């Protein structure tokens, strides 16, 4: 049994517009876990910066920390959904996401998680420029004695 999702993009639809796979399948017996929207706050609650690159880097770092706390790695990600205030920041956002993907999925053999990017008018606080939520798989609890 594999411990990471199967990800792929079938030839029956156009290739993905960016760094993601069209489909992701949860491994047999795994549980699906939801990551609440992560923003650019560091551990003490301070905002990582006033620009989208710093906030995106921190939000992705927060996601990585949550995955680690759950006992898995980014390889277990099924999909991410990002909310960005202002289309003008898309290039900086994509640059940070691409950098994280290069670290997380260096071998590229298993594909990338799904991803949706939405440009919104505002987030919960005016200083927030990006929020990222996600879904990942968690292996079944170890049932050995």
């Amino acid at each position: 049994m594999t411990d990471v999702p199967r990800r792929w993009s079938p030839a029956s639809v156009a290739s993905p517009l960016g760094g993601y796979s069209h489909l992701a399948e949860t491994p047999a017996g795994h549980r699906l876990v939801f990551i609440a929207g992560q923003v650019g706050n560091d551990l003490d609650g301070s905002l990582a910066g006033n620009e989208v690159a710093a906030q995106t880097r921190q939000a992705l770092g927060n996601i990585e920390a949550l995955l680690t706390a759950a006992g898995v790695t980014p390889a277990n990600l099924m999909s991410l959904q990002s909310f960005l205030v202002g289309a003008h920041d898309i290039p900086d956002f994509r640059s940070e996401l691409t950098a994280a993907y290069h670290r997380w999925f260096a071998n590229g053999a298993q594909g990338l998680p799904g991803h949706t990017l939405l440009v919104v008018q505002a987030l919960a606080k005016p200083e927030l420029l990006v929020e990222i939520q996600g879904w990942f798989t968690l292996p079944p609890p170890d049932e050995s004695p």
Side-chain angles (χ1 to χ4, degrees), residues 15 22 28 32 56 59 62 66 69 79 110-111 121-122:
S15 295
H22 283 303
L32 189 58
T56 300
N62 293 345
L66 291 168
S79 189
Q110 295 172 330
Q121 185 173 1

Side-chain angles (χ1 to χ4, degrees), residues 7-9 14-23 101 111-116:
R7 301 182 197 97
W8 72 103
S9 293
S15 295
L17 295 174
Y20 62 91
S21 298
H22 283 303
L23 299 170
Y101 278 3
L112 297 174
H115 183 256
T116 299

Side-chain angles (χ1 to χ4, degrees), residues 12-132:
S12 59
V13 297
S15 295
L17 295 174
Y20 62 91
S21 298
H22 283 303
L23 299 170
E25 179 182 10
T26 304
H30 280 227
R31 297 166 285 160
L32 189 58
V33 181
F34 298 83
I35 301 169
Q38 297 299 302
V39 296
N41 288 348
D42 59 23
L43 191 56
D44 71 4
S46 304
L47 195 59
N50 296 323
E51 65 284 335
V52 76
Q55 289 187 27
T56 300
R57 194 168 35 256
Q58 183 62 51
L60 291 166
N62 293 345
I63 288 171
E64 189 169 4
L66 291 168
L67 293 168
T68 299
V72 297
T73 70
N76 291 76
L77 282 169
M78 295 290 290
S79 189
L80 296 173
Q81 185 172 47
S82 303
F83 303 87
L84 185 62
V85 178
H88 59 279
D89 283 327
I90 290 174
D92 289 339
F93 169 81
R94 282 191 176 151
S95 178
E96 292 300 327
L97 183 63
T98 298
Y101 278 3
H102 281 291
R103 283 191 321 278
W104 294 350
F105 307 105
N107 67 9
Q110 295 172 330
L112 297 174
H115 183 256
T116 299
L117 173 61
L118 299 125
V119 177
V120 297
Q121 185 173 1
L123 294 170
K125 293 184 175 183
E127 63 271 19
L128 297 176
L129 303 175
V130 66
E131 184 170 336
I132 307 170

